[in-house]
Structures are given as structure tokens and as C-alpha cells.
Amino acid sequence: MVAALPASAQQKQAVPSPAASAPAAPVATTSAPATPTVAPRPTLILAISMDQFSGDLFTEYRQHFTGGLKRMADGAVFSAAFQGHAATETCPGHSTLLTGSFPGRTGIIANDWIDWSLPRKNKEIYCSEDAGQPAPQGSDYYTSPNMLLMPTLGERMVEADPRTRNVAVSGKDRGALMMGGKTVQQVYYWNGKNGFTTLPGRTPLPLLAGFNQTLGQSLAAPRAASALPAHCASRDHAVPVSADYSVGRWRFERKAGDARAFRASPDFDKATLDLATAVVDEMKLGQGPQTDMLSVSLSATDYVGHGFGTEGVEMCIQLSEVDARLKQFFDHLDAKGIHYAVVLSADHGGLDTPERARQQGMPDATRVQPTLNRKAITEAIAARTKLTLPENAVEIASGEVYLNPTINGKNRQKALAAALAYVKADPQVAATFTHAELAAMPMPTGSPREWSLAERARASFNAQRSGDFLIMLKPRITPIGTVKAGGSVATHGSPWDYDRRVALAFWYKGLAPFEQPQPVSTADIMPTLAALIGLPVDTSKIDGRCLDLDNGPGTTCK
């Protein structure tokens, strides 16, 4: 369920003019071109997404980083980076990172949406699904990147130079596919059970079988609790989230064969980075005359955030361990002499469990009431209009409400008006926006921090995939009503800044560090990296802009 933020306006800050007393500079008849910091161009572009790594977490733990995250924090840091759109979920967020475009343009409006044209009873479609293909044996869907409507940086690089290898590795299929794109050449993601896999019909690298065998042996053994870093000690206390379940004390000990616990632990990111390392070595990425592309999406931070919240000892240990694992990964690339440029960001932020938030000065943090579900809205329409409705009159996905197309004409207008009246009266709702309202708006520009609620919704809106109207919850309302032991206790998905603001940092050898606190967008990443390797991008066809990484008079945005 989607939540929202009050609208505000911001004027672009003017660039101060030189002091009146400053002597005039001589006029040159010719000027030398600005020299970029990176020379020669990188032979490997490395894009790392840490799922649910919010700007808040980056700021909160930055002083404790000593490894790979410290390296990124010592680079070019954009501390006010935003996933500008409203539906801050994994799939849409990843779709912005390397396309330079908002979800309304990439078509990835959420993790799931409703497609009434599907011949199956279940009308919900997954963002990394090809519904036209039968699911392979043992799978729920046919995994595919075909829903992505915009090319990724890797795809653009391959088109410009066919020697380029475009590779993606992730704990989630949607993380890998939204960063790799439709023509990703090698792609690997967790199979949900006991190892990593690739797309249906693809032949994986020979190393995968041995890698999965070794990983399986590790999973078959019990896992001892992680050591507690000193800076995590103050977070080591239990917080009840239901009558029979608490969070805040887990240290990732694991029983033999517990793949679910493995996924929500630092070991999951270690496995992802280990596989990425093996692929680099096997394919010799970054070691040829061309520039290669490697996307790595680390998923454990998201699973930890969902399972335990963002402010407990579990997240503290997770970030400490991924910091160490990233250092090992970077050190390996350094030892091979690879000239790489790396960006670190995230698909979305996250909100802590409301029970702990109330303990820490946020009395309005709460869980959603069961008044905005499909059943309640359907009953409200029927009661207010007296219409005879089909069994599945209403479907909801990620806050988008879809009315059955068999409700048409004046009856549809009545049903929509009744549903909107009911939803708007709910005390937990901040705003609603109809399909017609959003379709009439231009795509937002300027500072994403200052976008109105409507503009944030518009950045997520796609006319072919969005619903009849969008529901936004008020801030700090967690759209998880009931907590069960071992289930999700916290989540994300709102247009509030705790979900929108994410970490963003660039690093490469020779980069002069700087910190830029002015707001930027994750859509700016792709044109920024493209400029580093001299790849032309038509910025009129994307939403992002190049960020100058030269901390001086030169520019990397040629």
C-alpha cells in the first residue's frame, strides 16, 4: 500500500555571480576541452545495488564503515539521492538505476500489477514474468525481462561495441533483470531453494554447477551466531511485534538446511558476491580492450529489513558484514589490475517496525487497518451504488486499485466515484489520484525532494499498466496489518522520504572525493556512467542527467 508526503515547492538555486571586485578574466580565442578525471576510460563499469539501503541507513552507519562501504563513502557522495517515484518497491527501483528513466517510462510501475487481459484466473502479473510462456517445472512463473520498456546501460554499451559483455548477478531475479535488461548476456539469481540459476533456456557458465554444489554444502551445515560489533551493542534488545514474536536479538545463527534464514542473512550477500567474483574471473571481465558491464544487486539488506526492521541489532550486523564482504570484492578487482568505476545505490529505502518506532519517539507509527482491502472496497461500492458486481469487481496491487472492465459505461463512473468516496474518508489515507488525473500530467522534472504527491505518483504512472486510482497512506503507517512469527514485520513502498531517499556514491581510482548535498535522482546514474566511457545518450528520451564527478574545473559530462 502506498503512502505520501505533503506538497512543497522549491525554486532552483541560482549560481552566485562572481564578486564585483574580482578582476576580469582575459578572453581566450580558443579553449582546451575539459579533462575528465578518469583517463583512460574504465574497462569495467560496476553497478552495485543494496536492496533497501536507504539514505538514512547510509548516514546512520557511515561512521562505522571500515571496508567496501567506507571506500564508497570516501568517493563522490550524493547524500540527497532519491528514487523519485511513489511506488518504492524493488522492481521499479532497480528499473531506474541503469535506464536513466522513471518507472512511468520503464513500464515497471510496481513489483506486481493487474492485467485483466490475462487468460488465467489470477490477473496479477509479476514484473519479471513472461505470462505468455508456461512456467518451467517447479516454478511459479516464466522468468523474463520483457516487461522492461527502456534499454539499460549494458544494452547500450553492447549496441555501441559488440565486444562488450553485459552481466548481472543478484539475490533476486528482478534485481538482476532490471539492471541487466532484455539482452543481458549472462544473468544469475537465487533459485529460491538451494542455489543460483539463470533464465529459462539459457546455458549457464560451467562454473555454476560447482559453485552451487559448494554453496549447498555450506547450507547443509548449521551456522553459528555472528559476532556482535561493539557499535551494535546498544541495539541488542528485544522489541515485541506481536503477542508471540519479538525482534531485535537475532544474530543469524541458522539450523542446517534452513534456506529461508540463509536468505535473510549476511551470508546471502556473501554468496552473491562470491558468484560475481567467479564470473569476473571466468569471463575476464574488465580485462579486454572494451569496457564491460557488471551489475550486482545485493538482496540481504531488504530481507533483513522486512524480517527484523531497520533499527535493530540485525541490521547493524548485516551492514557491518556486507561492508567487509564488499572490501574483499574490491580488493580482488584491484589485485587483478582492473580499471573499474563503481556506483553504489539502492532500489528504495525502508521503514522500521512501528512497535520500535513508538519506543523511539514516533507515537503515530502504526499498522494499517483492514479497511482498504479488496473486499472492503467492493462492499463499499455495492452498498453505495446498489450495482450487481462481478465476483472479482476490484483488484488491488501495490496501492493501485483496478475495477473490472466488465463494469462499464455509467456504472463504471458510479463505481469509481463510490470507491473514491469510501477510500478518501478513511483516516489512514493521505491522498488518492485517478488514472485520468495522472494521465493529464507531464512527467515531473527538477528536484525530486520537492515534488508534490501528484508528481511522485506521476513518475510511477504508466497509462497501459496503472490502475483506475492510486491510494496513498499517511506517513509511518506500515501496510502490514498482522505479524506472524517469522514473517515480515516492516516494509517500504510509500512516497515518503524514508522510502525514497537512498544511498548514492561513485568511486574510481584517481577520483577526487567530494560530497554533494543537493538533491539528485537515481535516474541520473546511467547518463553519468555513460559519460565516463564516452557513450552518447540522447537525454531527451530519458529522465536523468549527467552528474559531473570531476571535483574541479573539468567535467566528466562531456
Side-chain angles (χ1 to χ4, degrees), residues 237-262:
H237 59 91
V239 176
V241 293
S242 69
D244 60 351
Y245 186 53
S246 296
V247 297
R249 300 299 306 277
W250 192 251
R251 299 191 191 180
F252 304 111
E253 57 268 30
R254 187 174 68 242
K255 295 180 181 179
D258 191 343
R260 182 181 177 87
F262 164 78

Side-chain angles (χ1 to χ4, degrees), residues 182-247:
K182 291 182 180 179
T183 60
V184 63
Q185 293 153 318
Q186 293 289 335
V187 57
Y188 300 99
Y189 45 87
W190 180 245
N191 66 12
K193 301 173 184 176
N194 53 12
F196 287 78
T197 188
T198 190
L199 287 170
R202 294 282 189 94
T203 301
L205 292 171
L207 65 86
L208 188 63
F211 181 89
N212 281 338
Q213 183 178 13
T214 301
L215 180 58
Q217 293 169 352
S218 177
L219 276 170
R223 198 255 204 204
S226 293
L228 185 67
H231 68 273
C232 297
S234 63
R235 302 169 185 271
D236 189 21
H237 59 91
V239 176
V241 293
S242 69
D244 60 351
Y245 186 53
S246 296
V247 297

